[in-house]
Amino acid sequence: MSRPNRFSEVKFIIRGEPDPILPTDATKPASRHCLVSNRPLARALFLGLVVFALVFVCRNIVQLRPSPQVLVPIIPDEPPVPRQPPLYDEYYLNEERLPQHDPNLPFPEGRTGRYINMENFVITSGWGNAMQELLLDAHVAYKSGRSFVFYPYTWNLDGSNSSQYGDHLIPSRIPLTAILAGPVVGQLFPDQNQPTPRAVIKTYFDKVCPRPTVISTHNISDHLENDATAKRILDAWTDKLNIIADNCVTIDRASSEQIFTFWVFGAAERILPIWPSFSTSPVLTHFRWSHLIHRAFNANVHLFSSVPYLALMRSLGPSLPPLLKDTYPHLIPSKYIYAPLPDLLVLHVRRGDFVDHCNGLSNWGSMWNGFNRFPEFLDKFALPPGYTPDGSEAPPHARAHYLKHCFPSIPQIVEKIADVLKDPANGGLKYVYVMTNGDRGWVQELKEALGGMEDGKRWQKIATRRDLELDWEQTFVSQAVDMLIGQRAQVFIGNGFSSMTSNIVTLRMANGFDPSSNRFW
Ligand SMILES: *[C@@H]1O[C@H](CO)[C@@H](O)[C@H](O)[C@H]1NC(C)=O
Ligand SMILES: *[C@@H]1O[C@H](CO)[C@@H](O)[C@H](O)[C@H]1NC(C)=O
């Protein structure tokens, strides 16, 4: 005898995501209506179909939203759980389990290994700023032959789980392994002839280094010129870290600044001299995003890829390019993993209150970030003629000049794209993906303007950040998903004043993309 009610009572939610994606109520009316006859055989067949359909739908939802989520039955009518930001507990647990967290390992790891714990990492800062610092700090550790102690990406150090940001809650910290993989977060380094100790977490450092030598960035920076280049800063630190006999060194937060300050990143003549060293560092050559980010990319690839059927095939397993596997062997260079996506144009357009930031930049006469100023780039930024900034309000012509490059209007965006399309190398572009925090109305207007371009029929797809389907954990690291898409674009048009853009440009340059494929408003 079949008992349909037993099944129709079961509800599913995706843990941590109380929105009723799968209201099984949908099956209830059917069972009440004339679709089901009274004959037992027909009832059994119908029930079989319903169960099959339910299982099929559930499986597909799980596959399309592939994060460490579990389908759990809940008691019907349980009140919804308030939507707190995710805690990413599993990532912390996996970090604790890294094999290098073993004091018995031989030198240069274990209790006789050498470590550098940089407690002075930036907080309350966007991922773009945090990431540029993180990669260079990890490079200093690599060059000094010391194990890099990595911390969560931290908004707030007060021990809370979440912080208010504007009108919503964000995680106070996110384990770095939810965003990145690779040597920065403890994977093996590629060069086995010259073993480099793997990165470790702070609790392990505390175990092997109960009494580290504590140093301030002033111990170094006070002996350098005010305009020292990043290369000189790197050399000064590696010299110092080599001289210190103690295997355990902590850079103290309270008395320190950043090793590479905002000023260094802002000045091309200071940051670019580190490029020959940085671009060949495993930190960049073997850079990787986390499996969480790879899965978000795969789940949305149909929005920006030239192979639409992959959207349907992705559940068969991510083995076909341009899809990404969860992990890659440590020896594979980044450039083979994040190969260019042909025909894709990615735009980075900051909106919202960024206009205030742009106006501030115009008052101070700021230049583009250093990594947005490789000499090979086609687009360069210069002050408008006759403008001598002094911090007071910029005259209208200077302000307009800054807004064009920093906060372009829709006609200015369209004009720039038309210009980029004039390059024969860019003739095949047919997908546009827009990294933007713009509101729905603005995004719609932009889409229409792109479609209405003289050459607008070329666009087979125009997608934006708002079109991405992300699970709850991916939602709070969506900048990294955007960066991965931008990193692989055939052509990228970014904001020269943005560290988000300059990180993308850094990854593209390190992976050997044609410099002329990096453009700026
Ligand atoms: C953070 O969340 C965990 C898990 O829900 C909880 O046990 C802990 O008390 C929370 N911490 C704070 C400071 O709210
Ligand atoms: C850092 O500088 C202070 C003040 O000059 C000095 O006392 C201390 O020994 C230095 N620390 C290291 C590790 O060089």
Side-chain angles (χ1 to χ4, degrees):
M1 271 299 269
S2 54
R3 272 168 267 158
N5 285 342
R6 208 173 66 189
F7 293 93
S8 60
E9 293 296 321
V10 178
K11 283 192 179 183
F12 290 90
I13 62 159
I14 292 183
R15 184 179 284 160
E17 195 155 13
D19 81 43
I21 297 164
L22 279 180
T24 45
D25 292 357
T27 63
K28 274 184 189 163
S31 62
R32 272 193 236 112
H33 288 92
C34 54
L35 275 170
V36 183
S37 85
N38 288 325
R39 283 177 297 156
L41 180 63
R43 281 175 68 105
L45 274 175
F46 176 77
L47 176 65
L49 267 175
V50 168
V51 170
F52 176 81
L54 194 65
V55 168
F56 183 79
V57 170
C58 291
R59 276 193 49 195
N60 277 290
I61 294 230
V62 172
Q63 279 168 352
L64 295 179
R65 298 165 153 264
S67 83
Q69 293 169 329
V70 191
L71 276 181
V72 288
I74 58 157
I75 307 153
D77 304 319
E78 195 183 44
V81 188
R83 242 189 176 200
Q84 290 294 317
L87 296 172
Y88 304 94
D89 286 335
E90 303 217 352
Y91 293 87
Y92 289 117
L93 287 175
N94 286 332
E95 288 177 4
E96 280 168 24
R97 292 191 201 112
L98 286 171
Q100 60 268 40
H101 294 153
D102 176 359
N104 298 320
L105 289 174
F107 183 86
E109 297 180 329
R111 66 170 63 82
T112 60
R114 283 170 76 76
Y115 298 87
I116 174 68
N117 166 37
M118 302 177 181
E119 285 185 350
N120 58 330
F121 59 88
V122 74
I123 61 164
T124 330
S125 203
W127 169 244
N129 291 91
M131 178 174 163
Q132 66 184 11
E133 172 183 56
L134 172 75
L135 297 183
L136 276 184
D137 282 357
H139 181 52
V140 171
Y142 166 70
K143 280 299 208 187
S144 65
R146 287 178 183 260
S147 167
F148 179 62
V149 179
F150 66 96
Y151 284 84
Y153 164 49
T154 303
W155 184 261
N156 190 333
L157 272 177
D158 67 1
S160 60
N161 284 332
S162 61
S163 301
Q164 196 72 34
Y165 180 77
D167 56 5
H168 58 279
L169 288 174
I170 57 169
S172 291
R173 63 197 167 280
I174 299 175
L176 220 41
T177 49
I179 309 175
L180 299 178
V184 175
V185 292
Q187 273 193 339
L188 280 167
F189 283 81
D191 40 357
Q192 290 307 301
N193 297 329
Q194 182 205 335
T196 306
R198 287 167 286 184
V200 299
I201 59 172
K202 174 66 163 39
T203 46
Y204 176 75
F205 173 79
D206 288 341
K207 195 157 139 190
V208 285
C209 292
R211 281 171 301 278
T213 294
V214 178
I215 183 173
S216 159
T217 51
H218 288 283
N219 284 60
I220 307 292
S221 60
D222 290 356
H223 306 290
L224 289 174
E225 318 78 69
N226 282 335
D227 59 353
T229 66
K231 175 68 166 66
R232 193 152 151 64
I233 296 169
L234 168 71
D235 291 344
W237 274 100
T238 50
D239 289 350
K240 180 74 182 177
L241 290 171
N242 283 332
I243 287 168
I244 298 177
D246 195 338
N247 283 342
C248 301
V249 179
T250 284
I251 302 177
D252 166 58
R253 166 174 288 280
S255 70
S256 295
E257 299 181 339
Q258 269 57 64
I259 294 181
F260 301 96
T261 61
F262 159 83
W263 301 105
V264 179
F265 285 107
E269 64 281 9
R270 294 184 69 189
I271 197 75
L272 289 179
I274 206 173
W275 187 244
S277 162
F278 188 36
S279 62
T280 52
S281 168
V283 167
L284 283 187
T285 60
H286 290 68
F287 173 89
R288 277 146 176 63
W289 298 103
S290 69
H291 63 80
L292 186 68
I293 306 298
H294 282 188
R295 289 176 190 180
F297 177 93
N298 288 353
N300 291 283
V301 73
H302 57 286
L303 294 173
F304 44 79
S305 158
S306 56
V307 200
Y309 73 87
L310 282 175
L312 296 170
M313 291 183 60
R314 63 185 174 227
S315 59
L316 297 179
S319 51
L320 301 163
L323 294 183
L324 297 167
K325 301 180 191 193
D326 276 6
T327 58
Y328 288 88
H330 70 281
L331 286 174
I332 297 187
S334 179
K335 65 179 170 190
Y336 299 121
I337 301 171
Y338 306 117
L341 293 170
D343 308 336
L344 173 65
L345 170 67
V346 170
L347 316 175
H348 180 205
V349 195
R350 298 253 333 233
R351 302 297 298 173
D353 59 9
F354 202 64
V355 68
D356 300 330
H357 183 64
C358 297
N359 285 333
L361 296 170
S362 73
N363 299 343
W364 290 106
S366 303
M367 303 302 277
W368 284 348
N369 283 13
F371 280 135
N372 291 331
R373 285 193 271 160
F374 280 88
E376 304 95 301
F377 288 171
L378 298 174
D379 298 310
K380 321 236 179 231
F381 181 77
L383 291 179
Y387 176 45
T388 318
D390 58 10
S392 62
E393 189 164 317
H397 82 285
R399 182 143 292 189
H401 179 77
Y402 269 84
L403 289 182
K404 179 178 177 191
H405 296 284
C406 184
F407 202 80
S409 65
I410 287 176
Q412 286 169 335
I413 292 172
V414 168
E415 189 189 333
K416 181 76 192 184
I417 294 173
D419 185 42
V420 164
L421 288 173
K422 281 190 199 132
D423 183 338
N426 302 336
L429 293 175
K430 46 178 186 271
Y431 304 93
V432 188
Y433 178 79
V434 193
M435 303 166 47
T436 188
N437 59 341
D439 62 37
R440 261 171 227 289
W442 185 86
V443 160
Q444 191 50 37
E445 236 182 282
L446 175 64
K447 282 186 173 178
E448 281 162 20
L450 292 175
M453 287 175 70
E454 199 180 315
D455 198 8
K457 288 209 174 41
R458 69 162 53 240
W459 306 123
Q460 290 188 12
K461 243 172 243 164
I462 304 173
T464 79
R465 163 68 186 85
R466 290 192 170 275
D467 300 310
L468 292 185
E469 267 194 57
L470 301 175
D471 70 27
W472 195 230
E473 286 187 333
Q474 290 163 343
T475 299
F476 294 86
V477 292
S478 66
Q479 306 99 314
V481 180
D482 269 355
M483 288 172 81
L484 168 54
I485 301 169
Q487 174 188 359
R488 298 187 65 186
Q490 182 186 325
V491 178
F492 173 66
I493 310 180
N495 183 324
F497 298 102
S498 152
S499 59
M500 183 102 150
T501 281
S502 66
N503 284 315
I504 292 172
V505 165
T506 301
L507 297 172
R508 292 167 64 86
M509 288 298 280
N511 285 354
F513 279 60
D514 186 338
S516 68
S517 72
N518 301 300
R519 304 296 300 265
F520 304 89
W521 304 118

